[in-house]
Amino acid sequence: MLLEVLKYPHPVLKQKAEPVLVVTPEIRELAENMLETMYENDGIGLAAPQVGELKRMVVIDVTGPDAREAPMVLINPEVARIGEDVESEEGCLSVEEYRNTLIRSDRVRLKATDLDGKPVELEAEDILAVCLQHECDHLDGILFIDHLSRLKRSLYDSKVKKRLKAKNG
Ligand code: NI
């Protein structure tokens, strides 16, 4: 089932998500729906708060919606930055018609569990590392635009304001 993706400045996107204590059938279904929604929207990652669920879980597939070769469902993921700073050009399914460049780490260590409760521990680099940082930020109510310089951010916010005004008359 396709889920609605919340768009900035929806207030849920700013909230901190709660840990998942038990993987219930509902959580499995949510994971499946999140993957479908991510692929359908041409995304490579989606966090539960983006579909209105304040739960610490994300789905990722950096091979993209055409290949669909590496779907990951991560429950209670934690990332530690262990690499060098790199410039990363990002967009977000919750941030419409906008991309910009920010600084991420090119390498991370990930700890999470999978849907069977098994621990997932790995080191990731490049696009997977960046994607993990982006998605885990969502679980703490942080969007990539929160990492931009004040100037870039205020330009973006005025663009959004104009768009909302045009839409609402
Ligand atoms: Ni995002």
Side-chain angles (χ1 to χ4, degrees):
M1 191 181 83
L2 281 183
L3 305 170
E4 187 197 347
V5 178
L6 304 181
K7 309 292 185 189
Y8 176 83
H10 196 292
V12 165
L13 296 170
K14 287 191 75 167
Q15 291 182 43
K16 210 173 149 81
E18 297 290 329
V20 175
L21 301 179
V22 188
V23 176
T24 58
E26 288 75 22
I27 292 288
R28 286 174 187 279
E29 197 183 337
L30 176 60
E32 203 172 293
N33 290 337
M34 282 171 62
L35 277 168
E36 189 185 340
T37 303
M38 174 184 81
Y39 288 135
E40 190 63 32
N41 288 281
D42 282 333
I44 58 169
L46 187 68
Q50 292 181 273
V51 293
E53 297 282 349
L54 285 168
K55 298 185 166 72
R56 301 191 80 81
M57 59 186 281
V58 307
V59 298
I60 288 177
D61 188 343
V62 293
T63 67
D66 295 327
R68 305 189 182 197
E69 279 166 3
M72 298 171 81
V73 177
L74 301 171
I75 307 290
N76 303 323
E78 285 175 37
V79 290
R81 300 167 59 122
I82 55 171
E84 309 278 324
D85 285 357
V86 278
E87 283 199 340
S88 166
E89 197 206 305
E90 297 180 22
C92 176
L93 296 181
S94 294
V95 178
E96 292 175 284
E97 292 165 39
Y98 189 71
R99 296 182 71 79
N100 216 319
T101 302
L102 58 144
I103 300 295
R104 297 282 190 194
S105 175
D106 67 354
R107 219 176 154 75
V108 297
R109 186 174 296 124
L110 166 74
K111 281 187 181 182
T113 57
D114 66 15
L115 282 175
D116 298 318
K118 289 199 193 96
V120 178
E121 280 197 47
L122 57 88
E123 282 186 17
E125 52 189 17
D126 303 325
I127 187 161
L128 181 56
V130 163
C131 188
L132 284 165
Q133 290 166 80
H134 178 120
E135 300 312 326
C136 288
D137 267 359
H138 276 296
L139 305 180
D140 292 321
I142 298 166
L143 300 175
F144 82 91
I145 51 176
D146 295 324
H147 293 295
L148 299 178
S149 70
R150 197 173 292 193
L151 176 64
K152 282 185 185 172
R153 178 56 185 269
S154 65
L155 286 171
Y156 176 68
D157 278 330
S158 56
K159 201 168 123 172
V160 171
K161 251 184 224 155
K162 258 187 219 153
R163 191 163 59 215
L164 289 176
K165 217 172 155 186
K167 205 159 84 180
N168 300 327

